[in-house]
Amino acid sequence: MTVNEEQTTINIAPGDLLREVGALNSDGYRLVQIGCTDVGGAYEVNYSFDKGYQFRNLRLTVEPETEIPSISDIYWGAFVYENELHDLFGITVTGINIDFKGTFYRTDEKYPFSVTRRGGDRCQDV
Amino acid sequence: MPGRIVVPFGPQHPVLPEPIHIDLVLEDELVVDAVPSIGYIHRGLEQLVQKREYPEYVYVAERICGICSFMHALCYCQGIEHIMGIEVPDRSRYLRTIWSEYSRLHSHLLWLGLFADAMGFENLFMRSWQLRESVLDISEDTTGGRIIQSTCKVGGVRRDIGQDKLDEIHRGLDSFEEDCRDLGKVFLNDETVKYRLKGLGVLSKDEAYTLGSAGPTLRGSGVASDHRETGYAAYGELGYKAVVETAGDCYARCAVRVRELYSSIDIIRRAIEGMPEGPIDVKVKGAPDGEYFSRVEQPRGEVVHYLLGNGTKHLARARIRTPTFANIPALVKMLPGAQLADVPIVVLSIDPCISCTER
Amino acid sequence: MGLFEMTKTVLQNLVRGPATRRYPAVPARTTPITRGHVVFDPATCRSCALCSKRCPCVAIHLDKEAKVWEINRMRCIACGDCVESCPFGSLAMEQDYLPPTEEHVVDSYTITYVKPERPAKKPAEEGVDA
Amino acid sequence: MAFLKRSPWILHYDASSCNGCDIEVLACLTPLYDVERFGIINTGNPKHADILLITGGVNSQNRPVVRNLYEQMPEPKVVIAVGACAATGGIFRECYNIAGGIDKVIPVDVYVPGCAARPEQIIDGVVAALGILEEKRERMAGGARMKEEAGETT
Amino acid sequence: MNRIMGAVIFLILAPLLGGLIAGIDRKITARMQGRVGPPILQPFYDVGKLFEKEKVVVTTAQNFYILAYLIFIALSGALFFAGGDLLLIIFAFTLAHVFLVLGAYAAHSPYSHIGAERELIQVMAYEPVIILTAVGFYMVTGSFYVVDMATTTIPVILYLPGVFLGLAAILTLKLRKSPFDISTSHHAHQEIVKGVTTEFSGSTLGQIEIAHWYENIFLLGIVYLFFAWNPVIGIIAVAVTYAAEIFVDNVTARVRWQAALKSGWLAAALGIANLAILSYMVYGGA
Amino acid sequence: MQTLLFLILFPILVACLLLFVKRTTSRYAVVVLSALAIGGASIYLLMRYAFEGAVYFAAPSETASLAMVAIEMALALFIIYMGAKFRNYLAIGLAVVQAALVVYLEMTFSENLHAINNLFIDQFSIIMALIIGIIGSLIAVYAVRYMETYHHLHPEVRDRQGTFFFVVFAFIAAMFGLVFSNNLLWIFFFWEVTTITSFLLIGYAETEEATKNAFLALVMNLLGGVAFIAAIIYLVAAGPASGGIDLAAVLASGDAAIILIPAVLIGFAGITKAALMPFSSWLLGAMVAPTPVSALLHSSTMVKAGVYILVRFAPVFAGTLAGVSVGLVGAVTFVVASAIAISQSNAKLVLAYSTIANLGLIAACAGVGTHMLVWAAILLIIFHAVAKSLLFLGTGAVENRIESRDIEDMEGLIVRMPKMAVMMFIGIAGMFLAPFGMLISKWAAIEAFVQVPFGIVFVAILAYGSAVTVFFWAKWMGKLITVIRGVEQIEKGFFEEPWIPLYIITGLVIAAAFLFPVISSMLIEPYVLVIYGVTAGLAQTNVAIMLLMMALLLFLPLSFALFRKSAKRLPAYMGGRPATADLHFEGSLGMTREAQTRNYYLTTCFGEARLFRPGAAVCIILILASWAFAGVAL
Ligand code: SF4
Ligand code: SF4
Ligand code: SF4
Ligand code: SF4
Ligand code: SF4
Ligand code: SF4
Ligand code: SF4
Ligand code: SF4
């Protein structure tokens, strides 16, 4: 009964996002997470899905000013991730069903994870 | 129709163990709107990877949360090991499994207690936590810590459990299981408990699935999804089948957790019986380079550690998606239509752990 | 009948008496591997600074010049990493817990280790920056 | 008479702890530690509380909350910071969203070290706090008496 | 003269006895939960402590209502032990509770407000049973006066078992015990924080506690009346009833207000059925 | 007798005069003066006749009776005209039937239509007269200023204040006539006049809703009127055995079997007028009328005509199954209306439902009709009249000030309009708390019901009903005394004059509680004694205790001074969430929200939609049962 887990990552263009996600949705995938990495000057946004432990990851690479569309119409629960994306990285996500408008985490410093946006790393004094 | 009651629920509130705030809008006691807001525990510890070398980050990972502490460490270590291609010794995989399941027992008993507390069933709360103490005793005996085990490390585990101790644990399991079953009976059979739980916060199978729920919240709605089925650590050898309930209400979620108590005890028993001899760790050299989405089944559901190494001792990125985070949408959906008195029950039914949610 | 399912437990509790560990009348339960607090042996420490480098909380501060080894008790999470990392066995983990205090506690020790007569090879670690 | 020492009611707040210290605070209430032996009750309400037990370091969101809770407690009152986080921020001290220990926001009377602090340590902490509480009460009673006397003379 | 003595003795002893019972209650509860529990005198320490604390209010008016609550609770208890008219006592008792509720309203805080509403639901739930109890006693003893009920030689319980059960059911409500502790609970963890008492602190909270002691003694007094023909049995019955309440508290979850109301009213229905049979026997037989 | 005639005729004069007074100040003067006269006369009545028992007066008959028939016909024509204008054919039909019955009666039995004494007065009449004379005229005084403000706030309503006050005083006259008449035909006449006045006043605003509700009231009251006249025909037809149209004779006639049927019919008329279920809807609809109308007609006086007649017939009902059925209509109405009141947030509707409930309770007492119960019923009439009028007038005053009659909007009235709040507080306390009057009566009722067969049913209903009552009154009280912040006092600048009647009525509520032993022993007990040969009352010690409680209540506020200084003020507990003093807190999604505290309305349990139909159904069955029982008794 042990199932082997597979992970695949596909790079997609921002324009294809909604189509791809929609396709996964109709395929019966569930949303696992949306996460982001600052790769210096650009952001890698990972949309991860799962079906029977098979892990599919859609990867979007966007410029700082690019707005990305919300997938919360397809996956209602995506709003938590998308708000997080905005609050930690400063990425604008348009059309979130429950938009906290930057009040999701309310961090001390804005966009703490976005080196690009903050222009360098700062540390708390010890 | 007369107006509505607006209540700030939390961040400090006796039935919320952790700070979370909900704007509750009520009609009499019927919840018509509930908007949560979080951020009270957000620490930003993902960023600590830039300041801690990857082996030391385990200590941070453990403190993502004090309840499934071990599981976070495990998930993190497995991720690093996968990236670095490390095969850990068999014995360490078994030990990891045992500690994992003890964590689950500890977590579920804790949750059952809080859940009983939310129903105003004080005695049941006390009883659950009393049983939980014996789990903590074992944790302290084998790892040196009640809550934070600090025993998992990249490349294996830090401590072995001697054969004597293993035997002792094994012997203790029977009476422990009996106590758990007595406890479970109260949760599953008592009329007042049923009155509070049945039909409350119903999440259909479809909803649970598309909302991206995880863990007992998902399984309580009839979706068989439990990462242990992928056979990480020693689950491959021991085998595991997800516990599933179909009603999708608070009672079902409670039942899933109660039954998982039994399945955890069973796994521990078999892990001890099948414990291989051998070393408990391997030496780790170098630094991770690559990425991996490491997943582990925590008491609250699947946790995802996304780790990205760049060949230095400091990871480039750690991103932790915790089960509670995935269950928040379900919570937002479940609250309207509940009674005020049921708000704590519904909230607790996803077993919210804000600590890891906000990291 | 599912009413009063808890009865059995209640009766058991009444008969068996309280399960309470009567701390402080009875000392706290500890085990040989309980992680209580870190003790430092100034006589053996060779100021290699490995401990302070590994400590995930930056709780240890070492001043090689002044030969002072300090531990901030309010930061230490008793993970024991320093103990494991110390190549000279100068650190140990004791079982008993630190008492509560009204002030922050920083324990400071003057290292009394003296190099043995025979000139030893410089340990490599000394090159590592703190 | 000092009833205060025999009936300290606590209010527990989690100001960004990892849950480790939290659950140990709760564990104190449960049968194995049973702090009700000392008359300790965990009230969920600042207006009824004498001791504020805080776990975790503060972040900016929690600052006003902690202050608000502290202010809502009637005098005399003491604050106990439980765990390394509450004392200094502990392992999370360097996180961008952690301001440090509780003493950055409100005066702390007792620090309980540890990560996670053990129930026994927490009990010790409360006992230590009782002494301070009693002192504060005497000072308060003294203050009131002095005020009265001053009122009489003027 | 005797009756005034009764009232005076009640006013003095009831808080002591009530506090003691509360202490024993907490001890037994703890034992049922496998704990040691607080000292028997803990309730007195608590109240003593409360009187040592600073006075804190949201609005000054709130404390006034609590004083009135205390006075009228004590008054109704005193009237009871003076052997007065049970119906009048019940009305004074209701009046007292209305004051408690008003205090909670006056504070204008979300939680005390909800507590107040729930307290009113509680009043609504138990009131029918209490009234029917008085009526039942009248039907059996032919008098509304407590003094006659207490000195009766009729084993009232045999005539009013249904009423007694009804009363036992709502006693849970009145003692603020699970499953019906909806408006405020001694146990800390409730969705409405401390309900009615949320905004009260210091000596005012102490007054509420003392009023509660008065109230408990008064209620146990009513329980006693069912067995009054034999004082020994009476006292045993009171103890057993109270122990049963503690037991029920420990083996049930708290229910929602709907169920509390329904239970209270069903308990009253039980009482009515009892009285209907009784009245059939009286009038039908005659 | 002159006083009686004065009380009936003088208001008519005033009414006619007021038709022509246009200026508010002069109208005010006229109304105040006549109020003084009427009130004075009623008090004189009290002093003159209180110790005399029942006194009968032959009084003018032929001409008066003829005039009455003429007016009745005119009124019928008016109804037909109005019915035609607004296409309400049911009203026309009922008016025609009624007129036809009157004509039939006059034609067929003209020789039997003589009462020996047309007028009379006894203690019960005195009580009613006091209520009408004092409370009624105070309401009239209050109405002058109220109506001015009303038209100020509602410019869309045609200003017909002349007519308004004409009708009000006509109504007062009719009420006096009703309680003083010993001639059933006269009673019927005055009865009809109150129906018409009520119709006119409800429709005052001339909106569609007002007109609709006016007709509703009209139709239901006419239905009662038909029953009334039918009863008279039956009595007359039954010949001398029944006592004919002489009220005293009818009540005295020993032949219960014969008069039970008319009693039940008149009881039915009483049920419609007292708006018991299923006829309660007219009273609720009547709440569209300006508030003084509600106070005057629909709480303190007119509906009392319904229960007045029931209480008069109580001795007839006593001990009969028909009586028990009528009583049960009242009891069921009591519990159902009280329960529905929980679900209402409109202050006037709450008052209306509570009125219906209390009338139900009175009817329950009257239906069962033992001496204790009649005693309680009369006490209820008194206390209800004072407390309810205070509440209606208070609500009206508040409404004119805050422009809402929603209880939720009265939150914090203690801060905004402290005097008003205290008065309403007392009014509400008067409705349900010991040691105020309503509670005393309820208590007496319980003690009395226990002692009769089937009493347990009533006791049970009463037990539930009073539990429910506590809920809706206490929550309203709570709203009033909630101390809110950040609002200003808005009491000043309000017309001062309307306050005087309010002060007086507040005084009356308290006085009634203090004086009830006197009232009881002076007026009610003798009345009951005459009818039943035994009398009721509360035990001395209990009375003393009640008075003690009352004194305590009055004394307690003094302790307020105690709390003024010492305490430290802190904002309310808001879950630790920082909040402002006026309960605004920082909510989710970055919005600032206000913590709101609304009362519970428990609509799912106690909603109108849920309870009204079953309640009405039960009552219809009970009414039919009462007829059946009466028929069987024959
Ligand atoms: S020393 Fe401080 S500022 Fe510099 S990199 Fe390290 S943490 Fe950042
Ligand atoms: S949105 Fe709601 S709260 Fe705001 S004004 Fe409108 S009804 Fe009132
Ligand atoms: S619910 Fe848990 S965390 Fe909250 S007050 Fe109760 S015991 Fe403490
Ligand atoms: S889910 Fe809860 S218990 Fe588990 S790691 Fe997260 S915070 Fe901790
Ligand atoms: S035990 Fe851990 S936290 Fe403490 S000093 Fe050592 S390494 Fe640092
Ligand atoms: S690691 Fe050991 S020897 Fe090196 S500095 Fe630390 S204590 Fe001293
Ligand atoms: S001190 Fe340790 S256990 Fe306690 S909250 Fe902080 S990290 Fe968690
Ligand atoms: S809102 Fe007020 S003022 Fe306007 S019509 Fe309605 S009751 Fe009159």
Side-chain angles (χ1 to χ4, degrees), chain B residues 3 52 105 117 138 160 170 174 185 188 190 201 209 230 244 247 259 265 289 301 306 310 319 330 352 354:
Chain B
R52 300 279 169 266
L105 285 174
D117 199 46
I138 289 174
D160 201 352
H170 193 267
D174 286 340
K185 262 188 227 150
L188 300 185
D190 190 89
Y209 195 77
T230 64
V244 179
R259 287 172 50 204
I265 293 173
D289 191 0
Y306 168 65
N310 54 9
R319 185 264 187 288
I354 312 304

Side-chain angles (χ1 to χ4, degrees), chain D residues 97-108:
Chain D
N97 214 36
I98 289 289
I102 302 301
D103 42 15
K104 294 259 161 85
V105 185
I106 51 172
V108 172

Side-chain angles (χ1 to χ4, degrees), chain D residues 145-154:
Chain D
R145 215 175 306 121
M146 265 165 46
K147 224 186 270 168
E148 250 169 49
E149 278 160 17
E152 271 163 25
T153 49
T154 51

Side-chain angles (χ1 to χ4, degrees), chain B residues 38-244:
Chain B
I38 60 172
Y40 291 95
I41 309 206
H42 183 62
R43 288 154 290 184
L45 55 80
E46 287 172 0
Q47 215 182 46
L48 279 180
V49 288
Q50 295 163 5
K51 295 170 197 163
R52 300 279 169 266
E53 292 182 1
Y54 75 90
E56 265 80 53
Y57 190 76
V58 181
Y59 299 110
V60 179
E62 277 182 332
R63 285 164 178 81
I64 289 168
C65 160
I67 304 175
C68 358
S69 170
F70 185 83
M71 311 276 215
H72 277 294
L74 176 65
C75 189
Y76 173 82
C77 293
Q78 285 187 357
I80 297 284
E81 285 155 8
H82 187 272
I83 296 172
M84 297 176 69
I86 299 169
E87 273 292 328
V88 298
D90 287 347
R91 189 171 176 90
S92 75
R93 286 192 294 115
Y94 272 77
L95 287 172
R96 282 176 173 185
T97 306
I98 291 175
W99 278 315
S100 286
E101 291 311 318
Y102 267 117
S103 284
R104 192 177 320 276
L105 285 174
H106 142 60
S107 172
H108 279 354
L109 284 170
L110 173 134
W111 176 84
L112 285 168
L114 291 179
F115 201 51
D117 199 46
M119 293 183 268
F121 202 152
E122 194 182 3
N123 200 354
L124 195 52
F125 160 68
M126 292 290 179
R127 181 64 187 164
S128 309
W129 280 56
Q130 188 182 337
L131 287 185
R132 173 179 161 270
E133 284 291 334
S134 56
V135 177
L136 295 188
D137 285 348
I138 289 174
S139 166
E140 182 163 19
D141 290 349
T142 56
T143 70
R146 279 163 55 86
I147 305 281
I148 309 267
Q149 284 82 5
S150 285
T151 188
C152 197
K153 69 173 185 184
V154 179
V157 294
R158 283 167 78 185
R159 281 181 198 81
D160 201 352
I161 308 180
Q163 195 54 48
D164 296 352
K165 189 67 196 170
L166 283 175
D167 291 343
E168 188 192 322
I169 293 174
H170 193 267
R171 276 196 305 278
L173 281 176
D174 286 340
S175 72
F176 180 69
E177 176 160 12
E178 196 195 318
D179 286 344
C180 284
R181 286 194 185 267
D182 279 346
L183 186 79
K185 262 188 227 150
V186 183
F187 276 101
L188 300 185
N189 298 344
D190 190 89
E191 286 300 330
T192 53
V193 174
K194 277 200 219 161
Y195 162 79
R196 290 308 298 270
L197 300 184
K198 287 230 160 156
L200 178 65
V202 178
L203 206 59
S204 70
K205 184 170 179 174
D206 268 7
E207 265 180 311
Y209 195 77
T210 50
L211 288 175
S213 313
T217 312
L218 188 58
R219 295 196 284 279
S221 293
V223 182
S225 165
D226 188 318
H227 224 71
R228 284 175 281 178
E229 290 188 348
T230 64
Y232 65 87
Y235 295 106
E237 287 95 322
L238 297 172
Y240 187 76
K241 183 125 181 52
V243 170
V244 179

Side-chain angles (χ1 to χ4, degrees), chain F residues 82-202:
Chain F
M82 291 301 280
K85 186 168 160 197
F86 293 98
R87 288 175 219 290
N88 195 314
Y89 301 111
L90 192 56
I92 298 179
L94 286 169
V96 168
V97 170
Q98 213 178 75
L101 286 173
V102 171
V103 171
Y104 166 77
L105 182 69
E106 294 285 340
M107 308 297 274
T108 324
F109 303 102
S110 56
E111 71 286 359
N112 286 344
L113 298 182
H114 296 287
I116 307 145
N117 297 305
N118 285 321
L119 290 181
F120 81 119
I121 185 157
D122 63 1
Q123 285 93 344
F124 189 21
S125 306
I126 295 179
I127 290 171
M128 292 303 291
L130 282 172
I131 293 173
I132 301 159
I134 298 178
I135 306 213
S137 33
L138 282 171
I139 295 173
V141 172
Y142 167 93
V144 181
R145 284 307 187 191
Y146 180 91
M147 288 311 288
E148 191 188 356
T149 321
Y150 175 84
H151 282 290
H152 190 68
L153 291 176
H154 298 258
E156 74 282 0
V157 177
R158 188 152 62 100
D159 189 338
R160 293 181 297 153
Q161 290 190 55
T163 327
F164 180 86
F165 284 96
F166 169 80
V167 178
V168 165
F169 275 86
F171 164 75
I172 290 179
M175 277 306 290
F176 277 124
L178 200 142
V179 299
F180 292 148
S181 294
N182 187 41
N183 181 332
L184 279 174
L185 269 177
W186 286 30
I187 295 182
F188 174 71
F189 166 73
F190 290 121
W191 185 272
E192 286 308 299
V193 174
T194 60
T195 300
I196 299 289
T197 48
S198 151
F199 167 73
L200 290 173
L201 291 175
I202 297 171

